[in-house]
Amino acid sequence: MNGQVRTILDMLARWAPKKEAIPNDTLWLSEFRYQTDLLRHLSGWPEPGVEISHRLCGSVVVRLYRPCEGRLPLLLHMHGGGGVAGSV
């Protein structure tokens, strides 16, 4: 197995919650959000010159990535995975 892959798998194992059953949905969701938030540490910072902002479109929070200067066409990417954890 690749050394980088082993390092990431080891980190995820350390971050994982105990294997005990979670007694209710509220606790499960809280733990799930915590674990999801830990995964952001595996990604790097945006490239220099990229501005990130959050907007509300109706009742949906969207994250915008755009260059700090200039105009570009719009790319809309919709991914439903974050809806499970209730965050962007």
Side-chain angles (χ1 to χ4, degrees), residues 7-88:
T7 299
I8 290 172
L9 291 175
D10 290 345
M11 286 174 22
L12 291 174
R14 284 194 308 273
W15 292 342
K18 305 295 182 234
K19 299 290 184 193
E20 303 161 3
I22 296 177
N24 65 48
D25 290 342
T26 303
L27 289 175
W28 177 88
L29 183 57
S30 174
E31 185 63 28
F32 187 84
R33 286 179 175 163
Y34 171 74
Q35 289 176 330
T36 302
D37 188 54
L38 288 174
L39 294 177
R40 72 184 165 84
H41 299 292
L42 298 176
S43 66
W45 291 98
E47 294 291 323
V50 174
E51 176 185 305
I52 301 172
S53 61
H54 294 89
R55 305 288 166 90
L56 192 60
C57 291
S59 62
V60 177
V61 177
V62 297
R63 182 177 295 153
L64 300 175
Y65 296 90
R66 57 176 293 175
C68 292
E69 297 180 6
R71 295 175 55 91
L72 293 175
L74 173 69
L75 168 66
L76 176 61
H77 175 76
M78 298 175 72
H79 183 278
V84 173
S87 77
V88 205

